[in-house]
Amino acid sequence: MLFTKHTIGNIVLNNRIVMPPMTRSRAGAGDAATDQMAEYYRQRATAGLIITEGTQISQQGQGYAWTPGIYTAAQVAGWRKVTEAVHREGGRIFAQLWHVGRVSHVSLQPGGAAPVAPSAILAQGVSVVLDATGAGPAGGGFRKEQHSMPRELAIPEIKAIINDYAVAAENAIAAGFDGVELHGANGYLIEQFLDSQTNHRTDIYGGNLENRLRFLKEVTTAVVAVIGKDRVGVRQAPLTTLMGAKDDHPEETYIAAARLLNEIGVAYIHIAEADWEDAPVMSPDFKEAYREAFKGTLIYSGKYNKARAEEALQKGWADMVGFGRPFIANPDLPYRLQHDLPLNTPDPSTFFGGTAKGYTDYACCPQPATALS
């Protein structure tokens, strides 16, 4: 089933294998995508769908060194090189639009300002990656540091960020992307509004569940208005506690979010399952509730192998499945999975920053040109 075609919105995909977003921290000057990034994504274009690494919608939305943006003309031009390379290989690619919220550092913020959040709550022990030497990603010199204390957003500022998402979506289409994924997971801004332990507001954006859903609703609606619902997906992470984000009643909260996104009519929800040792398991009942609440495409990611992916498809929980780290070391992962070939092992020391080593130099298996036709 992994190798049947699938349709998201009006886009026909070659197979049901997704390359999910993975931060690689190799953006160039002005946080623009580079020729090397274009080659990296081109090599992996046999995925049914590529979703890019998190791409900040503004300087305020950046939380780590060397991550790409999509809010300047140079950044749009950089991404256009990526989308053209992927499309030449017959691939499809969505941009993941990202605002980190509180998970940032004053050194990355405009004018050295404090990061922003729904509420002024520090996630103790949550680190960001900073350039330690000023030599850029190729220099490989980074350090980790506790994120800076955030300040609470005022309502006019929230409205401005919603507009930033819409402009970023328009920029993504101008750059040639087939669509966008809103990063509503892993403890970043959208999830900070959604989760009860990171949102202590008492106005229309906080308190009860309807209010905590409001930011997700308004961002998604604004993006759908400018590029169409068939080009929009949303990533969620119901059980993860990454970046200090946690909800007191995740099943209630996230199924309500799924119903909301179903009403808006987005093309897909991309569910990131918790994937660390001893992580909470997303139960079959929870997955079935997602299926009942949302009628579009459901994508699941999180330590999947071929057998687990086939099970998720057969049981109807998923329509597509993301394979994260395996795609780092196996540009031809769909071919390897299809033919049960051994996989290269990724080198974690090259995951963030660096050169072509561990990025575009992994070997592919010899294969006929029609292997995935």
Side-chain angles (χ1 to χ4, degrees):
M1 292 178 65
L2 273 171
F3 301 97
T4 58
K5 291 184 182 293
H6 183 71
T7 301
I8 289 181
N10 297 320
I11 302 169
V12 178
L13 308 175
N14 291 329
N15 56 67
R16 295 172 184 262
I17 297 172
V18 175
M19 177 178 164
M22 292 177 285
T23 296
R24 302 303 307 274
S25 295
R26 283 170 167 83
D31 297 323
T34 64
D35 291 343
Q36 187 180 68
M37 290 171 64
E39 174 61 12
Y40 168 76
Y41 285 109
R42 183 202 67 78
Q43 291 174 350
R44 291 153 178 81
T46 55
L49 176 65
I50 292 173
I51 306 166
T52 71
E53 60 211 273
T55 302
Q56 58 259 13
I57 62 170
S58 64
Q59 184 183 351
Q60 184 194 70
Q62 184 173 10
Y64 306 88
W66 317 318
T67 56
I70 196 161
Y71 55 92
T72 70
Q75 292 165 356
V76 171
W79 279 119
R80 190 175 296 115
K81 292 185 288 187
V82 173
T83 62
E84 289 174 351
V86 170
H87 289 152
R88 281 196 298 270
E89 300 293 329
R92 293 290 178 263
I93 183 167
F94 276 41
Q96 189 189 62
L97 303 184
W98 190 24
H99 192 304
V100 301
R102 70 180 181 177
V103 188
S104 187
H105 190 270
V106 292
S107 65
L108 295 170
Q109 291 292 301
V116 298
S119 301
I121 302 171
L122 185 75
Q124 194 66 49
V126 171
S127 298
V128 294
V129 173
L130 304 176
D131 188 336
T133 66
F142 66 85
R143 72 180 192 276
K144 291 185 177 181
E145 191 167 324
Q146 166 72 42
H147 85 84
S148 300
M149 181 67 192
R151 65 174 180 82
E152 182 174 306
L153 284 160
I155 287 179
E157 294 176 301
I158 294 172
K159 301 298 185 183
I161 291 173
I162 292 167
N163 184 66
D164 287 342
Y165 274 103
V167 172
E170 290 180 309
N171 287 346
I173 299 306
F177 282 103
D178 298 293
V180 303
E181 177 178 285
L182 302 176
H183 196 342
N186 296 357
Y188 298 117
L189 185 62
I190 292 175
E191 187 170 329
Q192 289 164 28
F193 272 94
L194 192 59
D195 285 355
S196 57
Q197 293 192 18
T198 50
N199 184 346
H200 293 178
R201 300 178 73 95
T202 58
D203 60 13
I204 62 170
Y205 288 98
N208 62 40
L209 179 54
E210 181 181 1
N211 284 354
R212 287 186 283 114
L213 285 166
R214 191 181 306 276
F215 185 69
L216 169 65
K217 179 180 181 179
E218 292 184 357
V219 168
T220 307
T221 301
V223 170
V224 164
V226 295
I227 67 171
K229 63 185 180 181
D230 287 344
R231 290 179 163 184
V232 180
V234 177
R235 196 174 207 206
Q236 298 186 317
L239 296 180
T240 69
T241 55
L242 294 171
M243 310 305 165
K246 189 175 181 180
D247 188 76
D248 293 322
H249 305 288
E251 294 197 28
E252 176 187 355
T253 296
Y254 282 88
I255 296 305
R259 292 193 188 101
L260 168 65
L261 294 172
N262 189 66
E263 291 171 6
I264 295 171
V266 299
Y268 71 79
I269 296 176
H270 181 184
I271 298 165
E273 294 187 66
D275 64 355
W276 57 88
E277 295 300 324
D278 300 320
V281 175
M282 193 172 179
S283 69
D285 287 347
F286 198 172
K287 292 178 179 180
E288 288 166 9
Y290 250 110
R291 174 60 74 192
E292 180 65 25
F294 185 75
K295 305 308 180 185
T297 292
L298 288 174
I299 302 170
Y300 278 84
S301 298
K303 279 194 174 179
Y304 276 87
N305 56 28
K306 183 177 179 179
R308 283 193 65 222
E310 292 283 8
E311 178 189 20
L313 295 172
Q314 289 166 1
K315 291 186 174 178
W317 300 330
D319 300 295
M320 302 186 74
V321 178
F323 295 79
R325 291 179 184 86
F327 255 119
I328 289 177
N330 300 275
D332 55 347
L333 181 66
Y335 181 77
R336 290 175 187 259
L337 292 177
Q338 185 177 26
H339 296 279
D340 296 313
L341 298 172
L343 302 183
N344 298 323
T345 301
D347 176 5
S349 71
T350 64
F351 282 178
F352 306 108
T355 61
K357 178 176 171 54
Y359 190 58
T360 56
D361 63 344
Y362 286 106
C364 294
C365 291
Q367 57 180 284
T370 57
L372 287 173
S373 62

